[in-house]
Amino acid sequence: MLAGRIDERAQIADLAATIDEPTLAIDLADVTYINSLGVRDWVTFLRTLARQDVALTLERCAEVMVLQMNMIVDARGSAKIASFYAPFACDACGWEGAALVRTEDVQPLVPLGRAPVTTCPDCQQEARFADFVDRYFLFLAA
Ligand SMILES: [Zn+2]
């Protein structure tokens, strides 16, 4: 699990060399911030794992990581994304927030231009996706 800020002090690039498992799952739910140096290290980390033939699965990717993967193809690399957070809004009560969605549920909707829905945690009504489908889910097309 990676949590908090990913920047030049996180030293994740060195982490890859210590991994000798054939598969690895990383939970990215608690990543709050990533800067350009952090992205560079993250890309190095992914490439090193790929060279070591480690099958990487990313779970519960925070929105900041999704935004990076949408801007920089290499920020996803060959990793499998199992689930990620997406922004939702509830018209009934005004709730806005991130909800976890599973890639296998969202992936079929994207080519149709459709967005997933979630249940509002406050009023239990249906909350709608609060970004652009062709932008926020761009990384799924890679
Ligand atoms: Zn609501």
Side-chain angles (χ1 to χ4, degrees), residues 49-135:
L49 287 182
R51 259 201 317 275
Q52 293 169 193
D53 285 326
V54 177
L56 176 64
T57 302
L58 302 177
E59 297 171 348
R60 306 201 306 152
C61 297
E63 284 178 273
V64 292
M65 292 301 293
V66 171
L67 297 179
Q68 290 298 330
M69 290 189 283
N70 280 332
M71 284 189 290
I72 304 163
V73 172
D74 287 345
R76 178 188 176 171
S78 54
K80 178 178 187 283
I81 316 289
S83 57
F84 59 94
Y85 284 90
F88 287 90
C90 175
D91 292 330
C93 75
W95 172 82
E96 290 180 9
L100 188 66
V101 294
R102 295 191 310 166
T103 301
E104 64 183 52
D105 295 336
V106 176
Q107 193 118 45
L109 300 175
V110 174
L112 308 173
R114 291 172 52 205
V117 291
T118 196
T119 302
C120 173
D122 288 351
C123 74
Q124 317 307 322
Q125 299 294 306
E126 189 177 278
R128 62 181 168 78
F129 175 64
D131 203 324
F132 296 98
V133 170
D134 57 357
R135 199 164 68 190

Side-chain angles (χ1 to χ4, degrees), residues 13-51:
D14 301 334
L15 201 63
T18 68
I19 292 159
D20 58 355
E21 310 283 329
T23 61
L24 178 69
I26 302 178
D27 186 318
L28 296 175
D30 295 323
V31 175
T32 54
Y33 171 85
I34 182 165
N35 68 3
S36 59
L37 292 170
V39 171
R40 192 191 61 188
D41 283 356
W42 172 253
V43 169
T44 302
F45 173 73
L46 294 184
R47 284 184 182 150
T48 306
L49 287 182
R51 259 201 317 275

